Amino acid sequence: MSLQSASPSSLALRLKTETAPLHEKLDKLVMSLKPFDNRENYGRFVAAQYLFQRDIEPLYDDSAYAALIPDLATRPRLAAAQADLRDLGQAVPEAAEAPQGQGMALPEGLGWLYVSEGSKLGAAFLLKEAGQRLGLDENFGARNLAAPSDGRGAAWKRFVQALDGSGLSAGEQDRVVAGAGAAFERFAVLLARSYDLKGEPSLA
Ligand code: HEM
């Protein structure tokens, strides 16, 4: 059963369709880095997750987003990623620049939030792997992959409803999709840095 509960013309569906190729490449990139082979490799994934969550942290404090997404305050994962790094005995990574979300306009920022929220769906698989192969769980080391308190499906459904009820113009919706594309690219760059890959990869 698909968790997509949007109507055919919805912004959420457009995001899913138009960013699907980026998602597929990012998913392949993550798996190629073998994050579940050992805790060191996994810790590098968590470091990238931490920096990504740091990028979007400013959006959670912006009342314009909270007006659109009533349960926004329950959604950040920066603290979870930081606690995971502590569990793993790993230093908090140095950020190379200011958080990307600082001062970001709402349409683009919604695209970034879409990427973070959607990644909680795929995180079900990642959490299972982290448990089976590394002995981690939502209380130790894999907090950043935990399900929302009322379940991944319910939280996602509410987020999709907020996106689709946002009342954005066609032009603004284009900017949300562009923001989502930029967020996917950013996650790839953070992974590349965290795993010391040569060059900065592009998902294009
Ligand atoms: C190995 C890594 C990954 C795997 C295996 C994976 C897997 C999945 C799966 C199976 C879904 C669909 C869940 C469902 O509909 O029930 C999904 C959705 C999604 N994932 Fe991933 N994912 C991975 C990494 C990521 C990363 C790193 C991001 C972003 C930072 C991400 C962003 C998303 C988004 C935005 C969606 C929602 C798509 C939509 O329905 O609109 N994923 N992922």
Side-chain angles (χ1 to χ4, degrees), residues 30 35-36 42 45-46 49 53 76-77 80-81 84 88 116 119-131 134 136-148 152 187:
V30 171
F36 304 109
Y42 171 74
F45 171 84
V46 179
Q49 173 81 285
Q53 295 300 320
R77 283 183 288 164
D84 287 337
L88 297 163
S116 182
S119 76
K120 291 179 181 172
L121 298 177
F125 164 76
L126 304 184
L127 178 64
K128 205 168 150 200
E129 292 287 298
L134 301 172
L136 303 173
D137 61 29
E138 52 275 270
N139 299 308
F140 186 88
R143 303 163 202 261
N144 77 100
L145 303 172
R152 298 183 199 274
F187 206 98

Side-chain angles (χ1 to χ4, degrees), residues 15 26-27 35 77 158-159 192:
L15 282 160
L26 186 58
D27 170 345
R77 283 183 288 164
R158 284 197 310 278
F159 185 75

Side-chain angles (χ1 to χ4, degrees), residues 33 40 44 190-199:
L33 299 169
E40 202 232 310
R44 289 175 186 252
L190 294 173
L191 283 171
R193 288 184 193 165
S194 191
Y195 285 85
D196 294 325
L197 303 184
K198 289 207 174 64

Side-chain angles (χ1 to χ4, degrees), residues 1-4 11-17 19-20 22-24 26-32 35-36 45 49 52-53 77 111-126 152 156 160 163 180 183-184 186-188 191:
M1 190 187 72
S2 169
L3 289 172
Q4 193 75 32
L11 173 59
L13 195 56
R14 214 189 129 189
L15 282 160
K16 181 186 172 93
T17 310
T19 65
L22 296 174
H23 180 269
E24 200 185 323
L26 186 58
D27 170 345
K28 287 207 174 95
L29 174 62
V30 171
M31 294 320 289
S32 76
F36 304 109
F45 171 84
Q49 173 81 285
F52 184 77
Q53 295 300 320
R77 283 183 288 164
W112 283 70
L113 289 176
Y114 159 79
V115 172
S116 182
E117 286 304 311
S119 76
K120 291 179 181 172
L121 298 177
F125 164 76
L126 304 184
R152 298 183 199 274
W156 178 242
V160 164
L163 273 182
F184 271 114
R186 174 69 173 171
F187 206 98
L191 283 171

Side-chain angles (χ1 to χ4, degrees), residues 37-173:
D37 273 16
N38 52 61
R39 285 192 181 192
E40 202 232 310
N41 276 14
Y42 171 74
R44 289 175 186 252
F45 171 84
V46 179
Q49 173 81 285
Y50 171 85
L51 290 172
F52 184 77
Q53 295 300 320
R54 176 182 171 275
D55 275 336
I56 58 175
E57 185 71 3
L59 306 179
Y60 297 101
D61 295 330
D62 186 327
S63 57
Y65 294 89
L68 272 178
I69 306 160
D71 60 0
L72 188 66
T74 66
R75 296 181 180 269
R77 283 183 288 164
L78 183 63
Q82 186 164 357
D84 287 337
L85 290 169
R86 199 184 52 226
D87 294 342
L88 297 163
Q90 201 175 310
V92 169
E94 293 275 328
E97 58 270 295
Q100 301 282 301
Q102 199 91 61
M104 188 178 279
L106 184 134
E108 284 81 6
L110 273 183
W112 283 70
L113 289 176
Y114 159 79
V115 172
S116 182
E117 286 304 311
S119 76
K120 291 179 181 172
L121 298 177
F125 164 76
L126 304 184
L127 178 64
K128 205 168 150 200
E129 292 287 298
Q132 288 175 350
R133 296 176 57 189
L134 301 172
L136 303 173
D137 61 29
E138 52 275 270
N139 299 308
F140 186 88
R143 303 163 202 261
N144 77 100
L145 303 172
S149 59
D150 62 342
R152 298 183 199 274
W156 178 242
K157 194 172 164 189
R158 284 197 310 278
F159 185 75
V160 164
Q161 281 166 351
L163 273 182
D164 289 349
S166 57
L168 298 181
S169 69
E172 287 168 332
Q173 294 194 22

